[in-house]
Amino acid sequence: MPKSREEHAQQWDLRHEDFNDNDFLYDVYDVMRAKSSFAYTDTPFLTPDAGGSWVAVSYSACTAILRDWEHFSSNPTPQGAEQLPGDIVITLDPPRQQKFRKVLNPYFSPGRMQQLQPEIRYETDRLIDGFIESGVGDLAEVAWRQPGIVFFKYLLGMPVDDVPLCIELTDTALNGATEEVRSVAWGGLYQHITEAVVAHCEGPPTDDMIDVLLGAEIDGQKLAFQDVVGNAMLLVQAGLETTANAMSFAFHYLAMHPDERDRLIREPDIMPYAIEEFIRFAGSIHGIPRTVTRDVEVDGQTFRPGESVQVNYASANRDATEFPQPERCMLDRRQNRHLGFGAGVHRCLGSNLARLEFRIGVEQVLARMPDFTLATDTDAKFHGNSVTRGYRTVPVTFTPGKRSG
Ligand code: HEM
């Protein structure tokens, strides 16, 4: 049943079908922010059994919470904790969280990422080769497949053939119609990753990320098997849908705005700004929870221990107090301290990888099909109602080109 902006702002439910309209969702955020830095929801997206939760929607509130892990813990509420397979970096607080980061950080360093450039370009080109000769194609093929192929093949150490299944299971786990469907999908993903970890334990040593986790020691102790599975599962979830959705939005936007597309070709120097702007504008996550540990006040709102707060990075990134004309996607926005990758101790571990995949994806599409526009005979399919949102198909037409050989 459709609701007004004000009704949604009063009781925000990200799964509501009205939010298949992305502009409408951001209008609702405007109403929420105009009232207060905090809204409320009875149906928090990632903590379904936790009961109601606060939702931080302003830039100042989200930043304050992300920087204050001592009052706003990443440990889930007791109900949420029961569903976790092990100690996972995103649900821990310092100092233990920082020790997990120490294990994983080197793997995502800017230097290591830069070395991956040729491979990422090669994989992107292969995907474009799939349709370059025909003059029609679906850019979601690039957006949705490239991050998975790169991550599984060159970093994680899982077979590329597993990517579609892992995307499908993650997607159903997040977006399935009922709690039961979602929970079966979580179980499926858990099982699948467990098997991959077991295969690593039995196989020859490698330097991929699963082996790094298996060999890692924290405080003189090897990680528990469940912790290895849990963190590998997090990496699969965190690394696939986020980048894919953000990139799919960029392709759709450029296919709809040929003048902007041409500008990016003409002025390649603005590409890094454009990537940040795409993430601020439409590639951000719509809520990750924190649990209040002690009485604390933020922007005039008092919080009590045990309460849950969803940090809404996407809403914060449209806050006019931080971003002039926040409703405009400005490809050369220079002052852009967006929260798309979070802030504070949990700032995104994969941001260097995401930026690189994203930039190379856009660069190769612009280089090889510079006149692409949205097809007129098929609609692009948008998927809303989720913590990450984007296009599942971006049908385009363009002047046919040659395969990369
Ligand atoms: C455009 C793409 C991406 C976006 C928008 C994004 C966003 C975020 C955000 C907002 C956080 C902070 C969560 C919090 O505050 O609790 C985060 C954390 C994290 N991200 Fe990303 N991410 C992206 C890509 C990736 C990729 C490609 C990977 C890895 C392959 C990754 C792995 C992680 C991990 C492991 C964490 C947890 C870090 C910690 O808890 O210390 N992300 N990400």
Side-chain angles (χ1 to χ4, degrees):
M1 176 99 153
K3 289 189 191 173
S4 69
R5 291 173 173 76
E6 287 68 26
E7 286 171 303
H8 278 300
Q10 197 74 27
Q11 183 49 256
W12 179 63
D13 178 2
L14 194 52
R15 293 190 198 275
H16 198 284
E17 63 198 10
D18 286 354
F19 295 144
N20 263 318
D21 179 342
N22 209 28
D23 293 337
F24 181 76
L25 173 62
Y26 281 102
D27 289 347
V28 169
Y29 290 160
D30 289 346
V31 176
M32 285 159 123
R33 281 193 312 272
K35 283 193 186 147
S36 161
S37 274
F38 296 96
Y40 202 77
T41 177
D42 279 341
T43 47
F45 196 90
L46 290 176
T47 45
D49 300 325
S53 171
W54 296 100
V55 188
V57 285
S58 73
Y59 187 86
S60 64
C62 289
T63 311
I65 290 171
L66 292 174
R67 298 232 157 98
D68 182 2
W69 60 266
E70 283 172 303
H71 288 95
F72 296 97
S73 164
S74 288
N75 293 169
T77 53
Q79 297 98 312
E82 280 171 21
Q83 299 173 2
L84 293 179
D87 262 4
I88 303 175
V89 63
I90 203 165
T91 61
L92 296 172
D93 293 327
R96 192 157 167 76
Q97 179 259 358
Q98 289 293 297
K99 292 175 182 170
F100 273 80
R101 290 281 298 221
K102 246 192 168 154
V103 170
L104 292 167
N105 272 341
Y107 228 81
F108 288 98
S109 69
R112 185 161 186 142
M113 293 302 109
Q114 287 310 318
Q115 284 171 7
L116 272 182
Q117 284 209 52
E119 283 84 359
I120 301 180
R121 219 171 282 282
Y122 167 77
E123 298 297 347
T124 310
D125 273 339
R126 277 181 28 141
L127 290 166
I128 296 174
D129 282 349
F131 52 75
I132 188 74
E133 289 172 322
S134 68
V136 291
D138 178 2
L139 287 180
E141 283 286 302
V142 179
W144 279 86
R145 294 182 59 196
Q146 181 249 46
I149 293 173
V150 169
F151 188 51
F152 276 47
K153 188 163 164 185
Y154 300 105
L155 292 163
L156 188 64
M158 278 178 64
V160 171
D161 290 348
D162 282 7
V163 174
L165 176 67
C166 286
I167 289 186
E168 193 193 313
L169 287 171
T170 306
D171 202 31
T172 312
L174 285 173
N175 303 317
T178 62
E179 188 52 39
E180 199 193 336
V181 170
R182 296 195 283 272
S183 144
V184 169
W186 280 127
L189 187 62
Y190 175 77
Q191 184 59 34
H192 195 72
I193 306 276
T194 302
E195 283 162 17
V197 176
V198 169
H200 271 73
C201 295
E202 290 165 355
T206 63
D207 75 338
D208 60 41
M209 206 172 291
I210 292 183
D211 261 15
V212 166
L213 285 165
L214 281 168
E217 285 192 4
I218 290 184
D219 296 334
Q221 288 209 313
K222 283 260 171 81
L223 298 188
F225 182 81
Q226 297 300 45
D227 297 352
V228 175
V229 174
N231 284 283
M233 224 170 134
L234 165 69
L235 287 163
V236 168
Q237 292 158 43
L240 299 190
E241 288 225 0
T242 46
T243 317
N245 273 308
M247 215 191 298
S248 76
F249 168 79
F251 288 145
H252 183 263
Y253 180 86
L254 296 172
M256 289 279 286
H257 298 85
D259 46 337
E260 297 278 81
R261 179 203 64 202
D262 292 346
R263 185 176 175 206
L264 261 191
I265 295 172
R266 236 182 14 252
E267 299 176 43
D269 290 356
I270 65 169
M271 184 65 87
Y273 301 111
I275 299 301
E276 298 308 309
E277 179 66 346
F278 284 134
I279 289 167
R280 177 197 75 84
F281 188 76
S284 311
I285 297 178
H286 291 249
I288 291 189
R290 295 290 190 270
T291 308
V292 179
T293 55
R294 283 179 265 156
D295 285 346
V296 60
E297 195 189 303
V298 176
D299 284 3
Q301 178 68 51
T302 305
F303 297 94
R304 306 276 179 228
E307 288 182 338
S308 170
V309 187
Q310 315 294 310
V311 180
N312 193 322
Y313 315 82
S315 170
N317 282 338
R318 293 288 189 100
D319 189 333
T321 63
E322 176 65 23
F323 305 99
Q325 297 186 279
E327 71 296 343
R328 280 189 58 206
C329 181
M330 290 193 242
L331 298 187
D332 59 351
R333 193 183 282 273
R334 309 266 154 153
Q335 281 283 90
N336 196 351
R337 296 187 308 163
H338 69 73
L339 295 182
F341 289 121
V345 292
H346 287 277
R347 198 174 180 291
C348 179
L349 182 71
S351 60
N352 294 320
L353 175 62
R355 285 185 172 120
L356 197 64
E357 291 171 342
F358 199 159
R359 177 170 64 72
I360 292 177
V362 175
E363 277 174 359
Q364 292 313 97
V365 166
L366 289 176
R368 300 189 59 198
M369 33 199 294
D371 60 353
F372 73 96
T373 51
L374 213 54
T376 46
D377 55 347
T378 338
D379 285 338
K381 272 199 204 114
F382 182 76
H383 179 83
N385 330 93
S386 186
V387 278
T388 57
R389 308 155 59 79
Y391 289 89
R392 300 301 169 95
T393 63
V394 186
V396 289
T397 56
F398 52 90
T399 305
K402 288 201 172 76
R403 293 168 64 87
S404 57

